[in-house]
Amino acid sequence: MRATSLLCRTVAGLAVALPLGLIATLPTLPAKGGPVLDQIVERKTIRFGYRTDAPPFSMKVDGRPQGYSIDLCGRVAGAILETSGLAELTGTFTAVEVEDRFDAIEEGRIDVLCGPTTATLSRRERVSFTIPIFATGVGAMMASDAPSALADPLMNALPGSLPQDAIPNSLNGRRLGVRAGTTAESWLRAGEDGALGDATVVTFDDHRAGAAAVVGGEVDVYFADQAILLGVLARSDDVDRLQVSPATYTVEPYALAIPRGDEDLRLVLDRALSLLFRRRVFEPLYERYFGPLSLQAELFYRAAALPD
């Protein structure tokens, strides 16, 4: 797909100039870094990949990439700019699909994947990940008037697990929707061999299509990362007809994905993210998309940030 080119000091409408105190803490890039980092500096361009269907992390608004992950990518690009000695650094954004996002990294079409990407061991066989940038987990979306036999086990689940009685009492025989190619699909299909009874799994190519299918009665429940479900719900015309589970059934740490084998690039990104989190410079970005920083979120970011 066609890439959107923006001057990296204004990425997706967000000024990425870093606070002076933060810049002073960032070391100058090595004269010779890793292969990808060297290419970024040599061509004076950093190439980002992003998904257009994952609000509030990455989406296309008025033809431009926006979202929490996009803004964080702008900030780390600013760190590369400020520590490389370059006068300017151009950022390009290329839309990628769930199915080909890691191919885009492996084939060298993008340098950094900015989006809601869960860091998993199997994915680390193909790409590397920065420190975590967000924590969520698989949740459920269903109609606001869903029958209690369906809704109660899912809506009252404890964080980190799906209650055992949800299988016979709720999901058995239902039509369950999920976005193809996601960890939510892997989690759901892991329960297909007997655990889900005669439930039917229906895949979608877009989260908004999955939400519409719930409204239209095509599926009984749509499973996806809870933070994305809440983002889709906030932008839906059917907000009163849908509900999202308050707890998550898994733990999904999001991170920025980069090519394997470039520890210098990962170090630059991890250092910039750690400083942003440790000094709470990221907080206005977080509040823009998620509201006030909760104590749980604050503790997560304190734990995610690495000490120098």
Side-chain angles (χ1 to χ4, degrees):
M1 295 186 179
R2 184 179 179 183
T4 301
S5 180
L6 302 167
L7 182 63
C8 218
R9 289 189 183 274
T10 307
V11 178
L14 174 72
V16 299
L18 301 178
L20 291 177
L22 188 62
I23 296 173
T25 310
L26 293 170
T28 302
L29 295 186
K32 183 172 180 57
V36 180
L37 182 58
D38 279 347
Q39 291 169 17
I40 291 171
V41 174
E42 181 178 354
R43 64 176 178 255
K44 301 178 182 179
T45 300
I46 183 168
R47 303 168 304 173
F48 296 116
Y50 78 107
R51 287 169 53 190
T52 62
D53 70 331
F57 296 93
S58 63
M59 50 197 166
K60 183 178 287 187
V61 179
D62 297 328
R64 297 169 64 84
Q66 289 187 13
Y68 179 64
S69 300
I70 302 296
D71 288 353
L72 283 181
C73 279
R75 291 299 177 112
V76 298
I80 294 176
L81 171 65
E82 300 293 353
T83 59
S84 64
L86 296 175
E88 65 179 39
L89 181 67
T90 299
T92 63
F93 282 86
T94 300
V96 296
E97 300 295 336
V98 167
E99 295 78 9
D100 74 345
R101 51 185 165 164
F102 300 124
D103 294 335
I105 296 176
E106 289 181 307
E107 295 168 5
R109 290 185 275 126
I110 62 174
D111 304 312
V112 182
L113 178 60
C114 305
T117 306
T118 302
T120 69
L121 293 174
S122 59
R123 288 175 175 178
R124 281 175 55 186
E125 296 175 357
R126 303 182 62 187
V127 299
S128 288
F129 291 99
T130 64
I131 61 172
I133 64 169
F134 196 85
T136 184
V138 174
M141 173 182 280
M142 68 194 75
S144 56
D145 61 352
S148 59
L150 170 65
D152 287 352
L154 298 177
M155 299 301 288
N156 297 324
L158 295 175
S161 65
L162 189 63
Q164 291 299 311
D165 61 358
I167 303 303
N169 294 344
S170 185
L171 301 184
N172 187 27
R174 303 286 185 177
R175 290 176 59 82
L176 312 177
V178 70
R179 175 70 161 90
T182 62
T183 52
E185 183 190 15
S186 300
W187 168 80
L188 193 59
R189 291 196 182 281
E192 279 190 307
D193 296 333
L196 293 183
D198 60 352
T200 301
V201 177
V202 182
T203 58
F204 294 85
D205 294 329
D206 185 280
H207 289 299
R208 290 164 294 189
V214 174
V215 173
E218 300 169 39
V219 297
D220 299 297
V221 188
Y222 183 73
F223 289 98
D225 291 349
Q226 183 204 51
I228 293 178
L229 291 176
L230 292 172
V232 171
L233 180 63
R235 291 160 179 80
S236 173
D237 294 331
D238 298 298
V239 63
D240 294 332
R241 302 177 64 183
L242 295 166
Q243 59 180 330
V244 174
S245 59
T248 64
Y249 317 129
T250 65
V251 177
E252 306 277 330
Y254 287 168
L256 305 181
I258 60 175
R260 294 189 76 196
D262 196 327
E263 290 300 305
D264 289 311
L265 176 60
R266 184 162 69 169
L267 178 59
V268 171
L269 301 185
D270 282 350
R271 178 170 276 128
L273 289 170
S274 293
L275 288 171
L276 289 171
F277 297 160
R278 193 161 58 241
R279 300 187 181 183
R280 300 183 68 154
V281 178
F282 78 101
E283 193 166 349
L285 307 183
Y286 184 96
E287 292 180 346
R288 177 181 177 185
Y289 296 103
F290 306 106
L293 190 69
S294 66
L295 177 60
Q296 182 179 5
E298 182 179 349
L299 292 175
F300 165 77
Y301 285 107
R302 286 183 182 180
L306 298 176
D308 260 323

